[in-house]
Amino acid sequence: ELKVEQNPLFLSMQEGKNYTIYCNYSTTSDRLYWYRQDPGKSLESLFVLLSNGAVKQEGRLMASLDTKARLSTLHITAAVHDLSATYFCAVVADSNYQLIWGAGTKLIIKP
Amino acid sequence: DTAVSQTPKYLVTQMGNDKSIKCEQNLGHDTMYWYKQDSKKFLKIMFSYNNKELIINETVPNRFSPKSPDKAHLNLHINSLELGDSAVYFCASSVLAKLYNEQFFGPGTRLTVL
């Protein structure tokens, strides 16, 4: 059974600092997604990672995928308050294309 | 030009009532999903339809019944509502066979059962 673990589940940090959120998954998969959710809002797709070594960047966020280690990272560079949100990773279950979701990382960035 | 829409946005009702939530997508996607997000933000897949055919039917009470009249619509009917049904319900859609299979989410329906 495919399981997805994120850590940390909660992160409070100061503006201007760098930090990384980790997403581990238990069995092979060929697709990994990162989503953002603002409080009271819907989920917004950030990145889709398809292959080993894939790296994608958008502004201060950079996501990478290591399929051999079954690990994806979401790196935040010089955090700003607007990045405060809950970040989810999700992995495709090859058997039925279902997305298996991590528990989410609540990120609070203090001015 | 809303991509995935849900109605209603908020739903407050008494225990034992029956209610429905509607979802429509105008993205031309062939697959639609219902998720439940609890108070701890955990996302749980409930159902998925591909071209009007049920492909994912997770372990949920049979009080929950999805219905897909066509590829663009997926409704969720809930009978005999219970306190534990209170949550945010999200509809999503995607193109299943596409390499990315990125899911696009609706705004959510916040259900409160009193």
Side-chain angles (χ1 to χ4, degrees):
Chain A
E1 180 188 352
L2 177 58
K3 293 185 178 180
V4 180
E5 290 187 356
Q6 285 183 239
N7 69 83
L9 297 182
F10 179 81
L11 178 57
S12 179
M13 54 194 290
Q14 296 288 334
E15 277 191 328
K17 300 291 186 183
N18 303 333
Y19 210 81
T20 301
I21 300 170
Y22 298 89
C23 176
N24 289 90
Y25 52 99
S26 58
T27 63
T28 57
S29 176
D30 60 1
R31 274 169 285 176
L32 188 141
Y33 304 80
W34 284 98
Y35 281 81
R36 169 181 173 151
Q37 186 179 33
D38 292 313
K41 301 291 185 181
S42 185
L43 287 93
E44 173 191 358
S45 177
L46 292 175
F47 301 109
V48 181
L49 301 170
L50 297 178
S51 59
N52 189 40
V55 176
K56 290 197 173 178
Q57 184 162 4
E58 180 74 32
R60 300 174 188 274
L61 298 177
M62 183 174 71
S64 65
L65 178 61
D66 181 342
T67 57
K68 294 179 182 177
R70 297 176 189 165
L71 170 69
S72 179
T73 61
L74 181 65
H75 187 73
I76 304 141
T77 302
V80 292
H81 178 67
D82 286 352
L83 290 178
S84 296
T86 299
Y87 293 86
F88 292 91
C89 66
V91 178
V92 170
D94 287 340
S95 57
N96 61 2
Y97 301 104
Q98 179 179 335
L99 280 187
I100 308 299
W101 294 81
T105 297
K106 184 171 183 177
L107 176 63
I108 295 176
I109 300 169
K110 301 176 182 177
Chain B
D1 60 345
T2 304
V4 183
S5 59
Q6 292 178 232
T7 54
K9 190 170 174 61
Y10 299 96
L11 188 51
V12 181
T13 188
Q14 299 286 333
M15 277 177 54
N17 284 349
D18 302 339
K19 291 293 179 185
S20 292
I21 307 171
K22 295 186 176 182
C23 178
E24 177 181 359
Q25 56 95 3
N26 63 6
L27 297 168
H29 290 169
D30 60 6
T31 305
M32 297 183 72
Y33 311 80
W34 277 114
Y35 286 92
K36 178 181 180 180
Q37 187 174 46
D38 62 23
S39 58
K40 294 184 179 179
K41 302 299 184 187
F42 186 74
L43 271 167
K44 174 183 165 64
I45 181 74
M46 300 175 71
F47 304 103
S48 177
Y49 274 75
N50 173 252
N51 288 318
K52 300 197 300 176
E53 182 181 340
L54 184 65
I55 59 170
I56 296 174
N57 185 9
E58 289 296 296
T59 306
V60 298
N62 57 15
R63 298 181 293 104
F64 290 80
S65 54
K67 185 170 284 188
S68 181
D70 55 57
K71 287 197 304 183
H73 297 85
L74 180 61
N75 303 323
L76 183 66
H77 188 76
I78 315 168
N79 289 325
S80 303
L81 278 156
E82 300 178 358
L83 292 176
D85 298 332
S86 295
V88 180
Y89 292 83
F90 286 101
C91 176
S93 72
S94 73
V95 177
L96 192 64
K98 195 174 177 182
L99 181 62
Y100 284 89
N101 192 22
E102 192 177 0
Q103 292 185 15
F104 292 82
F105 283 77
T109 296
R110 182 174 293 275
L111 172 64
T112 303
V113 182
L114 303 175

